[in-house]
Amino acid sequence: MVNIRELSTGLLALPDARPVEWRISDSLVGYDDALAVMDARAAAIAGHTAPELVWLLEHPPLYTAGTSAKDEQLVEERFPVHQTGRGGQMTYHGPGQRVAYVMLDLHQRGPDVRRYVATLEEWIIRTLAAFNVRGERREDRIGVWVKRPDKGLGYEDKIAAIGVRIKRWVTLHGLAINVEPDLSHFSGIVPCGVSDARYGVTSLFDLGQIVTLEEVDMVMRREFDGLFGNKAG
């Protein structure tokens, strides 16, 4: 297991590299369009012709099937289903959810995929903490979880999902934090393959935290610098 104390020292940082580009899309971005942009940018990063990129956006309502997804995880095809090369199973994207696509050069930062995923988790946890939400990681479940004692003993809800792909040691895809999405949209799938009734889905809004995407973006940008270095350009 990755030592989280080590993460705080910025082992993935490149202090002498050019700044990471930071892009925020104000309108909904189609999934296929996002894939095309990511693939092109990842190739340019691998070829040292473009800087690393963090891209914050929202998608229209849709489901994505990762490389481990199973047919039975699609309960009802309420929205378009996109096959994707990222790891993981079925997930939902839609308005009110902050998606962060992260394109970093792990060849330069250190070719350690487990450390990278753990750092993404820590990025989410620190972001949530700024809004008085305690996010936690689980050994047997990917993503970031929130305990829900109000629902019963042992109940937990997922507030953020992670799914990554590595191509020529450049990262693609990333994470999604539920800020204020329509949580009923998750009912069309078995989110991330977790079918245990004790484990559901939540959001900052569902937990009583009324915040905007812009506020979340500001915190994410600040916490990114602390973990990955390279202040955004």
Side-chain angles (χ1 to χ4, degrees), residues 81-93:
V81 179
H82 296 263
Q83 302 295 322
T84 178
R86 63 157 176 80
Q89 304 187 55
M90 293 289 298
T91 193
Y92 165 79
H93 291 312

Side-chain angles (χ1 to χ4, degrees), residues 177-198:
I177 299 175
N178 296 333
V179 180
E180 192 180 353
D182 185 338
L183 295 180
S184 71
H185 289 179
F186 285 88
S187 64
I189 59 172
V190 179
C192 301
V194 179
S195 58
D196 192 317
R198 295 173 300 167

Side-chain angles (χ1 to χ4, degrees), residues 51-103:
E52 298 171 311
L53 173 66
V54 176
W55 184 15
L56 303 185
L57 55 84
E58 294 174 277
H59 285 303
L62 56 89
Y63 298 130
T64 66
T67 55
S68 300
K70 300 178 177 60
D71 292 342
E72 58 267 26
Q73 292 168 0
L74 181 62
V75 178
E76 179 186 358
E77 194 169 338
R78 299 178 59 186
F79 306 111
V81 179
H82 296 263
Q83 302 295 322
T84 178
R86 63 157 176 80
Q89 304 187 55
M90 293 289 298
T91 193
Y92 165 79
H93 291 312
Q97 184 186 69
R98 177 48 85 213
V99 174
Y101 288 138
V102 185
M103 285 145 273

Side-chain angles (χ1 to χ4, degrees), residues 6-231:
E6 292 180 353
L7 294 178
S8 65
T9 65
L11 292 181
L12 288 174
L14 287 173
D16 298 325
R18 56 180 162 173
V20 176
E21 182 182 345
W22 198 273
R23 182 184 303 175
I24 302 176
S25 293
D26 295 326
S27 57
L28 300 181
V29 179
Y31 194 73
D32 290 338
D33 292 336
L35 291 183
V37 171
M38 276 195 290
D39 283 340
R41 186 54 170 258
I45 293 169
H48 307 292
T49 60
E52 298 171 311
L53 173 66
V54 176
W55 184 15
L56 303 185
L57 55 84
E58 294 174 277
H59 285 303
L62 56 89
Y63 298 130
T64 66
T67 55
S68 300
K70 300 178 177 60
D71 292 342
E72 58 267 26
Q73 292 168 0
L74 181 62
V75 178
E76 179 186 358
E77 194 169 338
R78 299 178 59 186
F79 306 111
V81 179
H82 296 263
Q83 302 295 322
T84 178
R86 63 157 176 80
Q89 304 187 55
M90 293 289 298
T91 193
Y92 165 79
H93 291 312
Q97 184 186 69
R98 177 48 85 213
V99 174
Y101 288 138
V102 185
M103 285 145 273
L104 300 180
D105 186 353
L106 293 191
H107 181 73
Q108 298 294 322
R109 291 175 177 269
D112 188 329
V113 178
R114 291 182 62 202
R115 172 169 278 115
Y116 171 64
V117 172
T119 310
L120 291 181
E121 290 175 336
E122 185 68 10
W123 186 21
I124 296 168
I125 289 169
R126 294 185 185 189
T127 298
L128 295 175
F131 302 105
N132 300 310
V133 171
R134 181 182 176 85
E136 300 179 353
R137 49 174 59 80
R138 293 290 177 260
E139 290 290 334
D140 59 336
R141 286 172 268 135
I142 194 68
V144 175
W145 297 78
V146 177
K147 292 180 180 178
R148 298 301 304 268
D150 54 310
K151 293 185 176 182
L153 183 64
Y155 278 72
E156 299 181 348
D157 285 342
K158 191 172 191 175
I159 194 168
I162 294 175
V164 304
R165 181 184 181 189
I166 311 296
K167 191 173 183 179
R168 296 175 63 188
W169 286 112
V170 175
T171 65
L172 297 98
H173 301 275
L175 59 89
I177 299 175
N178 296 333
V179 180
E180 192 180 353
D182 185 338
L183 295 180
S184 71
H185 289 179
F186 285 88
S187 64
I189 59 172
V190 179
C192 301
V194 179
S195 58
D196 192 317
R198 295 173 300 167
Y199 307 139
V201 181
T202 191
S203 67
L204 285 169
F205 181 81
D206 183 49
L207 295 172
Q209 300 300 318
I210 312 302
V211 299
T212 65
L213 287 175
E214 291 75 17
E215 290 172 318
V216 172
D217 293 346
M218 286 189 293
V219 174
M220 291 184 72
R221 189 163 183 166
R222 180 189 72 208
E223 299 301 335
F224 178 90
D225 289 342
L227 287 166
F228 294 94
N230 311 126
K231 290 187 180 297

